[in-house]
């Protein structure tokens, strides 16, 4: 009986989304025609973007592809892999910097005496990237102070990003639990006062590694959380009207204590029900696909520090790698002209085809200038 009800609900949801996509496409097309005939300035790029997004959404739902995606649970499969992809990007940039870019570009640019010694060895055909390190001695080897400082910062930013990112992925955002039982859903596994949060349901975790939250800790956190005074309103707000006050001002999340009809529980101020992971989250901010988790009271600090260190690390990497990158691109333009298809005919960055890069990686190793053209745009993005 439950299975039949679930299938009927899913079919109704698909039908509703198809109708919404059709209505949205018709509305945007009508607005586009009005703007086209209007005397006001016409922004063709704005309307091209709106029409393209609406058309893709309409085709996606009308072709029944959404039904197939839900039937195969493809959304549930890719979500736990997104944090792993984010961590792999950080690891890739760190590995490329220390394996190739540091010696090829940073040491040459910042260690002047090393560069001079390198030029002398190059004349003797004995020079290899980064072999000449100098400025101060330590043990049986001399080091470049700039190289040591840049390497320390690269390691520091990498550790901070990975540490706070993992915390944001695996930490509980602050879950409002029911008073009758210890579970927010029948599918949750409860053992010894802990609730298993499944990563395939977008409740945190990575690479199909689930998270677990302590029931007592979550309830203690909610009990200690300061709730808004209800003196100026009529007590508890209904979840259908939680964002409205007496003067019709809308708030998100609600600053009032409210009752969630979906979770069937009372929740404090600034708590909100997340439609993606189907939980009421304390001090709800948003559901982040990069963490496969909600961002709330429990993990907001880790999320903020992750974004903070990613921003600092990206700007740091761009500052030290931008000069050789632009110098290399300048030489490309001087040699081939301002043509989008340069030497390899693959675009503005002139990267070799993927199979060429793969062959280099498996044989002699990818050339530093190719890695430079791959990493710098990634840091900018």
């Amino acid at each position: 009986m439950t299975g039949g009800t679930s299938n009927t609900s899913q079919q109704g949801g698909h039908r509703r989304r198809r109708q919404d996509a059709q209505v949205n496409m018709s509305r945007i097309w009508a607005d586009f025609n009005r703007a086209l005939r209007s005397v006001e300035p016409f922004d063709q790029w704005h309307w091209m973007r709106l029409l393209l997004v609406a058309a893709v959404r309409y085709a996606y739902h009308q072709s029944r592809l959404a039904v197939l995606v839900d039937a195969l649970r493809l959304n549930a499969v890719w979500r736990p892999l997104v944090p792993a992809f984010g961590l792999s990007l950080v690891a890739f940039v760190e590995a490329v910097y220390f394996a190739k870019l540091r010696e090829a570009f940073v040491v040459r640019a910042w260690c002047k005496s090393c560069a001079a010694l390198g030029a002398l060895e190059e004349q003797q055909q004995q020079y290899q990237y980064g072999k000449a390190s100098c400025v101060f001695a330590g043990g049986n080897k001399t080091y470049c102070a700039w190289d040591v400082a840049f390497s320390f910062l690269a390691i520091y930013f990498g550790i901070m990003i990975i540490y706070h990112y993992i915390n944001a992925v695996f930490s509980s955002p602050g879950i409002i639990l029911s008073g009758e039982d210890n579970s927010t859903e029948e599918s949750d596994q409860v053992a010894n006062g802990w609730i298993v949060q499944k990563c395939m349901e977008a409740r945190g975790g990575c690479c199909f590694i689930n998270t677990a939250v302590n029931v007592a800790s979550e309830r203690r956190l909610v009990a200690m959380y300061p709730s808004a005074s209800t003196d100026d309103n009529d007590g508890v707000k209904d979840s259908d009207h939680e964002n409205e006050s007496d003067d019709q001002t809308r708030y998100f999340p609600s600053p009032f204590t409210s009752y969630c009809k979906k979770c069937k529980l009372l929740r404090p101020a600034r708590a909100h029900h997340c439609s993606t992971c189907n939980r009421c989250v304390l001090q709800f901010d948003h559901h982040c696909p990069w963490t496969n988790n909600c961002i709330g009271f429990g993990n907001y600090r880790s999320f903020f520090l992750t974004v903070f260190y990613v921003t600092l690390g990206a700007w740091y990497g761009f500052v030290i790698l931008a000069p050789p990158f632009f110098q290399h691109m300048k030489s490309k333009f001087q040699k081939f002209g301002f043509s989008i298809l340069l030497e390899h005919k693959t675009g503005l960055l002139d990267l070799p085809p993927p199979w060429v890069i793969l062959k280099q990686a498996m044989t002699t190793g990818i050339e530093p200038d190719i890695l430079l053209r791959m990493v710098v745009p990634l840091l900018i993005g």
Side-chain angles (χ1 to χ4, degrees), residues 136-377:
F136 70 90
N140 297 326
K141 188 178 180 180
T142 54
Y143 299 91
C144 171
W146 285 109
D147 180 30
V148 173
F150 288 148
S151 299
F152 171 79
L153 287 176
I155 294 173
Y156 174 76
F157 285 132
I159 291 175
M160 289 294 102
I161 292 171
I162 293 174
Y163 173 75
H164 292 295
Y165 190 25
I166 292 176
N167 271 347
V169 170
F170 286 95
S171 297
S172 169
I175 307 170
I176 317 297
L177 299 175
S178 170
E180 287 79 13
D181 53 44
N182 295 334
S183 143
T184 55
E185 263 194 2
E186 294 180 358
S187 61
D188 290 335
Q189 302 174 12
V190 183
N192 300 323
W194 290 82
I195 301 178
V196 175
Q197 302 286 285
K198 297 181 179 179
C199 63
M200 293 188 68
E201 296 175 358
R203 297 186 168 192
C206 171
C207 298
F208 308 104
I209 301 175
N210 297 324
T211 61
V213 297
N214 184 270
V215 175
S217 176
E218 295 296 312
R219 288 181 175 162
R220 183 168 57 251
L221 183 65
V222 173
M224 295 174 61
Y225 186 78
S227 297
S229 173
T230 58
D231 294 340
D232 298 331
N233 55 77
D234 296 328
V236 177
K237 295 283 184 178
D238 193 291
S239 60
D240 292 339
H241 306 284
E242 61 172 332
N243 293 334
E244 298 181 4
S245 65
D246 294 336
D247 60 356
Q248 298 302 311
T249 303
R250 297 186 65 85
Y251 301 94
F252 180 83
S254 172
F256 309 112
T257 301
S258 58
Y259 181 79
C260 179
K261 290 184 176 180
K262 297 178 181 178
C263 295
K264 295 180 174 58
L265 48 80
L266 191 67
R267 58 195 181 190
R270 293 206 63 194
H272 184 75
H273 185 88
C274 177
S275 59
T276 303
C277 60
N278 197 27
R279 298 180 295 181
C280 278
V281 176
L282 190 64
Q283 200 169 312
F284 177 83
D285 189 84
H286 70 288
H287 189 94
C288 179
W290 283 101
T291 61
N292 191 38
N293 200 358
C294 268
I295 304 302
F297 184 77
N299 61 353
Y300 186 83
R301 180 179 181 273
S302 297
F303 173 78
F304 175 80
L305 289 175
T306 301
V307 176
F308 175 74
Y309 281 113
V310 165
T311 304
L312 284 185
W315 278 107
Y316 159 75
F318 177 74
V319 166
I320 64 174
L321 295 177
F325 171 78
F326 288 115
Q327 184 65 32
H328 182 76
M329 295 306 300
K330 180 181 178 181
S331 64
K332 285 279 186 180
F333 287 128
Q334 290 175 344
K335 184 176 181 181
F336 298 99
F338 286 90
S339 173
I340 295 180
L341 301 178
L342 302 179
E343 180 181 5
H344 298 288
K345 314 298 182 186
T346 57
L348 190 61
L349 293 174
D350 197 35
L351 292 170
W355 54 88
V356 175
I357 297 177
L358 181 62
K359 182 179 179 180
Q360 287 187 6
M362 297 175 63
T363 55
T364 59
I366 304 177
E367 298 177 4
D369 64 314
I370 296 177
L371 291 172
L372 181 69
R373 282 177 279 157
M374 294 171 62
V375 169
V376 172

